[in-house]
Amino acid sequence: SKTKVIVYNNSPQKYEIGDYLEIEGTLNELNPPHLPNGFDYAKYLHTHGIIGTVNSNKITKIKKPFSPFLLKYYLSLYLDKYFSLEAKNYLQGLLFGDRSGFDADFSASIIDNGLVHLFAVSGLHIGLIIAMISFIFQKLKLKKEKPFLIVFLSLYLIVTAFSPSILRAVLMYFLSLLNKKKKLHLSSLDIISLVYLLLIIINPFYLHDLGFSLSFLVATMIIVLSPLLK
């Protein structure tokens, strides 16, 4: 029913992203924290739509159809082919927020230097993407900029696995376009409030996601303080 589980198995068989599997096993429910105010692993997993873990007895490959969710996998293969390992790690961090390729020293250095936000996908990425694509379209005197941006940002959402901060920024952009086209006369505060309510209705566990809360907090502060800064 469109829910997710973590599967544990000891099979030597290798799997690839996009494989459809039939899994037989026992579903284990998630336990609450053992200590008061301790880390709530069950709540953390529920935030990501994961309802439990499965100890598998048997896994069978069924098929591997094309899925748009394979885009990140194919982009990673492209980076593997045409870039050095170091460059690939930087690009994966900048484009996807994937810092798994960074060693401990580099990870510590970007935190100490205050650069870690560059390697965490956020609304900043969306703003830069929109600005760059708009600039290119204007320079080349091309039309259909908005439809291209809608398709591109939708694909980027898939590549970044619907990161809460990216989802917030993209939905705000889409709603802003709708607001202008339909002349709804919504303010920026109206738009961010509507996006917040929509996402909370879709997934109430977003309330426990720190990235979600910080994204909306910072964006709301910018909206509220912009008139004063001007």
Side-chain angles (χ1 to χ4, degrees), residues 12-31:
Q13 188 175 9
K14 292 184 178 180
Y15 307 104
E16 295 179 343
I17 294 173
D19 285 345
Y20 271 57
L21 309 175
E22 183 177 310
I23 298 170
E24 297 178 18
T26 306
L27 178 66
N28 306 307
E29 294 186 0
L30 301 170
N31 296 319

Side-chain angles (χ1 to χ4, degrees), residues 179-229:
N179 185 36
K180 289 178 182 178
K181 186 173 182 180
K182 298 295 184 181
K183 297 180 180 179
L184 301 176
H185 306 293
L186 297 173
S187 68
S188 297
L189 207 55
D190 293 331
I191 290 172
I192 195 171
S193 301
L194 287 170
V195 171
Y196 181 86
L197 290 171
L198 174 65
L199 293 179
I200 288 298
I201 290 170
I202 292 171
N203 181 11
F205 284 103
Y206 272 141
L207 285 171
H208 303 293
D209 189 297
L210 187 59
F212 178 87
S213 301
L214 288 174
S215 178
F216 274 95
L217 178 63
V218 172
T220 304
M221 284 177 63
I222 291 171
I223 291 170
V224 171
L225 295 176
S226 326
L228 297 176
L229 295 174

